[in-house]
Short mmCIF file of all heavy atoms in Angstrom, two decimals:
data_model
loop_
_atom_site.label_atom_id
_atom_site.label_comp_id
_atom_site.label_asym_id
_atom_site.label_seq_id
_atom_site.Cartn_x
_atom_site.Cartn_y
_atom_site.Cartn_z
N CYS U 278 32.32 -81.34 169.59
CA CYS U 278 31.59 -81.59 170.84
C CYS U 278 31.66 -83.08 171.18
O CYS U 278 31.35 -83.94 170.35
CB CYS U 278 30.14 -81.14 170.69
SG CYS U 278 29.10 -81.65 172.08
N ALA U 279 32.05 -83.38 172.43
CA ALA U 279 32.20 -84.77 172.85
C ALA U 279 30.85 -85.47 172.95
O ALA U 279 30.77 -86.69 172.99
CB ALA U 279 32.91 -84.83 174.20
N LEU U 280 29.76 -84.71 173.01
CA LEU U 280 28.44 -85.32 173.17
C LEU U 280 27.71 -85.47 171.84
O LEU U 280 27.16 -86.52 171.55
CB LEU U 280 27.59 -84.49 174.13
CG LEU U 280 28.14 -84.35 175.56
CD1 LEU U 280 27.26 -83.41 176.37
CD2 LEU U 280 28.22 -85.71 176.24
N CYS U 281 27.69 -84.43 171.02
CA CYS U 281 26.89 -84.47 169.80
C CYS U 281 27.76 -84.44 168.54
O CYS U 281 27.25 -84.58 167.43
CB CYS U 281 25.88 -83.34 169.76
SG CYS U 281 26.58 -81.73 169.35
N GLY U 282 29.05 -84.20 168.71
CA GLY U 282 29.95 -84.23 167.57
C GLY U 282 29.94 -82.98 166.71
O GLY U 282 30.56 -82.95 165.65
N SER U 283 29.25 -81.93 167.16
CA SER U 283 29.17 -80.71 166.34
C SER U 283 30.55 -80.10 166.15
O SER U 283 31.35 -80.01 167.08
CB SER U 283 28.25 -79.69 167.01
OG SER U 283 28.30 -78.48 166.30
N SER U 286 29.80 -75.44 166.69
CA SER U 286 29.16 -74.72 167.79
C SER U 286 30.25 -74.23 168.75
O SER U 286 31.40 -74.66 168.68
CB SER U 286 28.18 -75.63 168.53
OG SER U 286 28.86 -76.56 169.32
N LEU U 288 32.18 -74.16 172.06
CA LEU U 288 32.41 -75.26 173.00
C LEU U 288 32.86 -74.75 174.37
O LEU U 288 33.64 -73.81 174.48
CB LEU U 288 33.48 -76.21 172.43
CG LEU U 288 33.13 -76.87 171.09
CD1 LEU U 288 34.28 -77.79 170.65
CD2 LEU U 288 31.82 -77.66 171.18
N PHE U 301 35.37 -81.25 175.70
CA PHE U 301 34.74 -80.07 175.12
C PHE U 301 33.32 -80.41 174.72
O PHE U 301 33.10 -81.42 174.04
CB PHE U 301 35.55 -79.59 173.90
CG PHE U 301 36.86 -78.95 174.29
CD1 PHE U 301 38.00 -79.73 174.51
CD2 PHE U 301 36.94 -77.58 174.46
CE1 PHE U 301 39.20 -79.14 174.87
CE2 PHE U 301 38.14 -76.98 174.83
CZ PHE U 301 39.27 -77.76 175.03
N VAL U 302 32.36 -79.60 175.19
CA VAL U 302 30.96 -79.85 174.84
C VAL U 302 30.31 -78.53 174.44
O VAL U 302 30.78 -77.45 174.81
CB VAL U 302 30.16 -80.46 176.02
CG1 VAL U 302 30.75 -81.80 176.43
CG2 VAL U 302 30.14 -79.51 177.20
N CYS U 303 29.20 -78.62 173.70
CA CYS U 303 28.49 -77.42 173.27
C CYS U 303 28.08 -76.58 174.48
O CYS U 303 27.59 -77.12 175.47
CB CYS U 303 27.19 -77.80 172.54
SG CYS U 303 27.44 -78.69 171.01
N SER U 304 28.25 -75.26 174.39
CA SER U 304 27.73 -74.41 175.46
C SER U 304 26.22 -74.25 175.32
O SER U 304 25.52 -74.06 176.30
CB SER U 304 28.44 -73.05 175.45
OG SER U 304 27.65 -72.04 174.87
N ASP U 305 25.69 -74.39 174.11
CA ASP U 305 24.23 -74.30 173.88
C ASP U 305 23.61 -75.67 174.14
O ASP U 305 23.67 -76.58 173.32
CB ASP U 305 23.98 -73.86 172.43
CG ASP U 305 22.49 -73.63 172.14
OD1 ASP U 305 21.64 -74.23 172.83
OD2 ASP U 305 22.20 -72.86 171.21
N TYR U 308 20.78 -76.88 171.70
CA TYR U 308 21.34 -77.28 170.41
C TYR U 308 21.95 -78.68 170.50
O TYR U 308 21.70 -79.55 169.66
CB TYR U 308 22.39 -76.26 170.00
CG TYR U 308 23.17 -76.57 168.75
CD1 TYR U 308 22.63 -76.35 167.49
CD2 TYR U 308 24.48 -77.08 168.84
CE1 TYR U 308 23.36 -76.62 166.34
CE2 TYR U 308 25.21 -77.36 167.71
CZ TYR U 308 24.65 -77.13 166.46
OH TYR U 308 25.38 -77.41 165.33
N CYS U 309 22.72 -78.90 171.55
CA CYS U 309 23.42 -80.17 171.74
C CYS U 309 22.41 -81.31 171.95
O CYS U 309 22.51 -82.37 171.33
CB CYS U 309 24.36 -80.06 172.94
SG CYS U 309 25.56 -81.39 173.05
N THR U 310 21.42 -81.07 172.81
CA THR U 310 20.42 -82.09 173.09
C THR U 310 19.63 -82.44 171.83
O THR U 310 19.41 -83.62 171.54
CB THR U 310 19.43 -81.57 174.17
OG1 THR U 310 20.19 -80.98 175.22
CG2 THR U 310 18.60 -82.71 174.75
N ARG U 312 20.51 -82.21 168.75
CA ARG U 312 21.34 -82.95 167.81
C ARG U 312 21.45 -84.42 168.22
O ARG U 312 21.42 -85.32 167.39
CB ARG U 312 22.73 -82.33 167.73
CG ARG U 312 22.81 -81.13 166.77
CD ARG U 312 24.18 -80.50 166.78
NE ARG U 312 25.23 -81.47 166.49
CZ ARG U 312 25.63 -81.80 165.27
NH1 ARG U 312 25.10 -81.22 164.21
NH2 ARG U 312 26.58 -82.70 165.09
N ARG U 313 21.56 -84.63 169.56
CA ARG U 313 21.69 -86.01 170.01
C ARG U 313 20.37 -86.75 169.82
O ARG U 313 20.34 -87.92 169.45
CB ARG U 313 22.12 -86.04 171.48
CG ARG U 313 23.63 -85.92 171.63
CD ARG U 313 24.03 -85.90 173.08
NE ARG U 313 23.71 -84.62 173.70
CZ ARG U 313 23.52 -84.46 175.00
NH1 ARG U 313 23.60 -85.49 175.81
NH2 ARG U 313 23.25 -83.27 175.48
ZN1 LIG X 401 27.12 -80.79 171.41
#
Side-chain angles (χ1 to χ4, degrees):
Chain U
C278 171
L280 299 175
C281 77
S283 174
S286 74
L288 300 180
F301 288 85
V302 299
C303 296
S304 102
D305 185 335
Y308 174 80
C309 194
T310 314
R312 277 177 55 86
R313 276 178 286 156

